[in-house]
DNA sequence: CTGAAAGCGCTAACAT
DNA sequence: ATGTTAGCGCTTTCAG
């Protein structure tokens, strides 16, 4: 089963390749209606599909955007990918999604691979471990947009949640309810991932503004095991027990919920809980969990549009501002 | 910022393009060490990245596999994508993921697009709406593998859950607990999506084998609204009330859980619940939900390996068997 | 309105 | 051990 090429269509229709090319690219202006029809039929009969690889080579553009996500098992991520895909499709771009798994080496390998594949631009949830590479991309004036996390200096347009506000929303909700012994639970901040650091910063600021002091013991970060152990030991000391928990991401929320369940600590009677990254299950669970949600769709749409704009006019500014999005509190039953 | 090509490297190293090509493709056999080093340096200094588009055009293969998923917001889907990506990467293939959104037209557009991009093969979660297209792919002997759903006749290797067994596991667990008024909840079966149909079939068989009769009112399918309404009206009639619910996918589970919550129907005191598609949240909720889980990783690995095998030796058989995977019951607190 | 021809960046015989 | 050459399938001037 030989591949059908443009030449086959041209031969069958009795015209030259270039005329077929015109047809494929919807430039019928000066084409005789009869010619057009003959080409149409030939394509139909042969089942011809144009070869984008050849087209891309010639045009030096692929109409595809590489998307490198930090963790694609996260619903936050998939929701954003989905709107990015929609927005790109509307503008005749395709996206090539890669999962860096929060691993800088994988990220680097994917960036190189996507460049080799000649993508027209890159949307990245940066791992924070490839500053040098980002600089090179900037020097090459390659279109890049960051989302969710920022890398200093801000070489590329960056779209992020207002993480300070996020923590403020949670803390003030707890205070309103009269719970001031507030514990924050999150994943490791060792690799310097901005949202985590900013949310902790925002938590401290919010406590301060409300005249509460920061208890370092009430800032728990780590992997599943680490979080669990710290939760355990924190709970030993009855004096030190918090009466409210703010989980700053889905994984931390899970560990927290599991811990509370195991120890038969009741929500909201014993402790209040607010988590981030809404999931339908959080609304369906008992009690339904109050969350701070982020405007995923808008962030995805804006990111994609910025990317498309950059591809159209790849003149990068020296430095960029970070675009911030306001979080919202979705009140349910856990506070 | 001009793109660096192989010619630039060749000039700089004082060799010909073909020698550079040899180097790039790790064929150093007959290459003088000095030459190798000069090329190495030239590449380094120039920051040369090979152009895969040109390579693909020449070699008539792209080392990329297209993956068309039915719904990428589903955790079942993302988990499988992840292992497919890993398996492909280990074999030096890349994957291009597209989200058909359970829409046959989108699926068709993506198939055409991916063919145009010259992918070497296609892994598809089929929407069931493109039988003709599948036949054409078969006729062209194009490597395709189906996952999750089957299309009759089985033109391509197909990897699926043993859906009969799935329902049997749930039904028998309910019976063991003494709950025989078992209601099944699922999404619409109008478009003929196999897992849904098979799970309903399996449910009926399991009831029959256990001497229970099938009550059509206890088979609820539809979209969120539809499920909700049917649940409402079913619950009106106290005589007809089931005492066990089997939700055959994540979305149905959500609707069910929400309904039970709203009506303060307690799990497991009032009704038993088993759902499908495990999610960490199901383990953390109160009560923790018993689920029937599928071996996602194994299915993904086998699917990817089959695809890679097919690409290596694209001789499709006339017809294929369906590879079935056994589900497992994860007992928690909801039965 | 249509055709001829050059070339995108790379690979793979085939020479040397 | 390295260079020469002929395309891969398409687009795009430029002629006619």
């Amino acid at each position: 089963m030989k591949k059908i090429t443009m030449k086959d269509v041209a031969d069958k229709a009795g015209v030259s390749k270039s005329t077929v090319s015109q047809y494929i690219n919807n430039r019928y202006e000066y084409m005789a209606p009869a010619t057009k029809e003959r080409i149409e039929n030939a394509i139909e009969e042969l089942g011809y599909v144009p070869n984008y690889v050849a087209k891309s080579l010639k045009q030096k553009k692929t109409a595809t955007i590489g998307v490198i996500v930090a963790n694609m098992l996260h619903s936050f991520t998939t929701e954003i990918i989905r709107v990015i895909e929609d927005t790109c499709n509307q503008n005749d771009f395709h996206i090539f999604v890669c999962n860096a798994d929060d691993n800088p080496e994988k990220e680097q390998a994917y960036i190189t691979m996507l460049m080799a594949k000649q993508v027209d631009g890159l949307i990245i949830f940066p791992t924070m471990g490839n500053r040098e590479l980002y600089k090179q991309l900037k020097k090459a004036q390659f279109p890049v947009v960051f989302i969710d996390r920022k890398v200093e200096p801000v070489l590329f347009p960056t779209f992020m949640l207002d993480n300070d506000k996020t923590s403020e929303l949670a803390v003030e909700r707890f205070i309103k309810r009269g719970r001031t012994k507030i514990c924050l639970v999150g994943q490791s901040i060792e690799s310097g991932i901005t949202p985590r650091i900013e949310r902790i910063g925002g938590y401290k600021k919010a406590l301060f503004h409300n005249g509460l002091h920061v208890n370092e013991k009430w800032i728990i970060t780590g992997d599943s095991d680490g979080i669990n152990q710290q939760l355990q030991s924190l709970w030993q000391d009855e004096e030190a027990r918090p009466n409210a928990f703010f989980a700053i991401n889905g994984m931390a929320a899970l560990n927290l919920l599991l811990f509370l369940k195991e120890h038969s600590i009741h929500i909201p009677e014993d402790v209040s809980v607010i988590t981030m990254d809404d999931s339908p299950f959080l609304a369906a669970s008992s009690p339904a969990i109050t969350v701070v949600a982020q405007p995923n769709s808008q962030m995805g749409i804006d990111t994609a549009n910025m990317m498309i704009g950059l591809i159209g006019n790849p003149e990068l500014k020296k430095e960029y501002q970070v675009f911030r999005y306001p979080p919202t509190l979705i009140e349910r039953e856990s506070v």
Side-chain angles (χ1 to χ4, degrees), chain A:
Chain A
M1 197 74 180
K2 192 186 144 293
K3 272 264 175 199
I4 307 297
T5 77
M6 190 174 265
K7 179 159 192 325
D8 300 318
V9 177
D11 289 350
K12 178 136 196 159
V15 297
S16 79
K17 280 196 305 174
S18 35
T19 306
V20 178
S21 176
Q22 303 284 17
Y23 175 89
I24 293 293
N25 292 288
N26 304 308
R27 286 192 283 268
Y28 315 119
E29 291 100 76
Y30 309 110
M31 192 179 295
T35 311
K36 183 178 166 187
E37 201 175 318
R38 285 212 314 285
I39 295 175
E40 224 150 40
N41 293 335
I43 288 177
E44 174 72 62
E45 285 174 44
L46 260 25
Y48 169 67
V49 177
N51 182 332
Y52 283 2
V53 171
K55 177 180 179 143
S56 296
L57 178 60
K58 179 68 192 178
Q59 297 195 146
K60 299 179 165 223
K61 63 180 190 205
T62 53
T64 112
I65 292 168
V67 180
I68 302 178
V69 305
N71 182 349
M72 94 136 148
L73 295 178
H74 220 298
S75 68
F76 159 70
T77 306
T78 48
E79 282 172 30
I80 288 190
I81 292 175
R82 192 184 191 288
V83 294
I84 289 179
E85 179 168 37
D86 285 349
T87 308
C88 288
N89 282 179
Q90 283 160 28
N91 290 275
D92 296 313
F93 279 95
H94 300 122
I95 64 171
F96 197 117
V97 181
C98 301
N99 181 25
D101 239 341
D102 263 320
N103 176 344
E105 279 153 46
K106 273 202 187 183
E107 181 185 35
Q108 174 167 19
Y110 277 134
I111 290 177
T112 308
M113 183 272 273
L114 290 167
M115 301 288 296
K117 277 192 177 291
Q118 311 297 117
V119 295
D120 297 337
L122 244 24
I123 294 175
I124 306 180
F125 294 61
T127 57
M128 322 303 292
N130 283 309
R131 272 199 170 63
E132 267 316 306
L133 225 193
Y134 303 147
K135 267 189 209 156
Q136 281 173 238
L137 292 172
K138 176 76 171 202
K139 220 174 69 195
Q141 287 284 95
F142 192 77
V144 173
V145 176
F146 286 145
I147 180 165
D148 188 45
R149 301 156 176 196
K150 80 175 167 195
V151 181
E152 310 271 13
V154 186
L155 266 17
F156 299 105
T158 302
F159 296 81
M160 294 178 74
L161 186 67
D162 182 340
N163 288 302
D164 272 2
K165 184 75 187 168
T166 296
S167 298
E168 186 186 313
L169 245 29
V171 166
E172 301 201 331
R173 183 65 191 82
F174 287 137
I175 292 175
K176 191 169 136 206
R177 153 78 207 243
R179 306 253 173 158
T180 54
K181 295 158 84 173
I182 304 167
C183 176
L184 178 148
V185 187
Q187 283 178 283
S188 166
I189 54 168
E190 272 168 34
S191 38
I193 292 170
T194 15
R196 302 179 192 170
I197 291 174
E198 289 184 349
R199 286 170 201 174
I200 293 175
Y203 157 85
K204 289 182 179 174
K205 274 187 236 170
L207 289 183
F208 180 77
H209 285 145
N210 287 279
L212 264 24
H213 81 283
V214 173
N215 180 344
E216 290 292 340
K217 273 194 178 167
W218 288 347
I219 299 178
I220 291 180
T221 61
D223 59 6
S224 283
D225 285 347
I227 289 175
N228 224 288
Q229 282 169 22
Q230 291 174 72
L231 246 16
Q232 301 272 16
S233 68
L234 183 62
W235 208 252
Q236 303 297 327
D237 181 2
E238 296 206 15
E239 299 291 292
R241 284 186 189 172
N243 55 18
F245 287 96
F246 178 40
I248 62 173
N249 62 44
M251 185 270 211
L254 225 38
N255 284 300
L256 173 65
L257 259 18
L258 240 21
F259 171 83
L260 296 177
K261 185 174 164 61
E262 266 169 33
H263 293 259
S264 303
I265 303 166
H266 296 288
I267 312 170
E269 297 81 2
D270 302 330
V271 299
S272 294
V273 168
I274 296 179
T275 70
M276 286 216 53
D277 298 333
D278 197 19
S279 148
F281 284 109
L282 260 14
S285 80
S286 296
I289 307 294
T290 293
V291 303
V292 180
Q294 37 186 322
N296 292 340
S297 298
Q298 197 55 52
M299 286 174 70
I301 290 171
D302 293 350
T303 302
N305 281 326
M306 172 62 80
M307 178 83 271
I308 292 163
L310 240 40
I311 291 174
N313 176 27
E315 280 178 24
L316 291 169
K317 291 196 274 182
K318 274 270 156 296
E319 204 157 315
Y320 281 90
Q321 61 164 311
V322 173
F323 298 90
R324 293 282 182 176
Y325 291 79
T328 48
L329 186 72
I330 301 179
E331 305 235 18
R332 295 206 267 249
E333 310 162 346
S334 64
V335 178

